[in-house]
Amino acid sequence: MNVHIGLHVKNLEESKAFYERFFSTPPEKIKNGYVKFLTIKPQLNLTLTQVDEVYGNTINHLGVQVNSREEILYHKSRLEQEGFFAREEWDTTCCHAVQDKFWVTDPDGNEWEYFYTKQDVS
């Protein structure tokens, strides 16, 4: 089972390069105006469709939940080595839980968060 996300992008090549580095995997399918990624961790079907205009971050944010702080640190290091700027939030309360997380932003302004939920709060 894969979660599917379809994103509109202004520059297909720039977005393709971002997601290749973000997921450390090449696309599964490339067609005129279209790119598809199938990832294993996380199990995701991400499609990119080129359009003339994208109006910023119309999605609140996208995220990858992991099971430990070690996984957060691994992915943060991996993405920084790819040249991404990672905005950190350690021991933050969000969504009624204490979390460690970091954020990166794709070429069209969509924010991606890697996060680990440490504990729920009331």
Side-chain angles (χ1 to χ4, degrees), residues 10 36 42 51 56-57 62 74 77 85 87 90-91 98 109 111:
K10 288 185 288 189
K36 175 181 178 180
V51 296
N57 192 0
L62 304 162
Y74 166 77
S77 174
F85 168 76
R87 178 173 50 89
W90 306 125
D91 293 315
V98 177
E111 289 190 305

Side-chain angles (χ1 to χ4, degrees), residues 26-72:
E28 179 79 15
K29 184 185 291 186
I30 301 173
K31 300 289 183 182
N32 187 28
Y34 176 88
V35 173
K36 175 181 178 180
F37 289 89
L38 287 177
T39 65
I40 295 170
K41 282 192 173 182
Q43 287 185 260
L44 177 66
N45 172 335
L46 175 71
T47 58
L48 309 174
T49 304
Q50 187 159 336
V51 296
D52 292 332
E53 293 292 327
V54 175
Y55 299 99
N57 192 0
T58 57
I59 297 170
N60 181 299
H61 69 277
L62 304 162
V64 178
Q65 183 174 15
V66 297
N67 296 316
S68 70
R69 181 175 170 98
E70 291 75 25
E71 286 181 88
I72 289 287

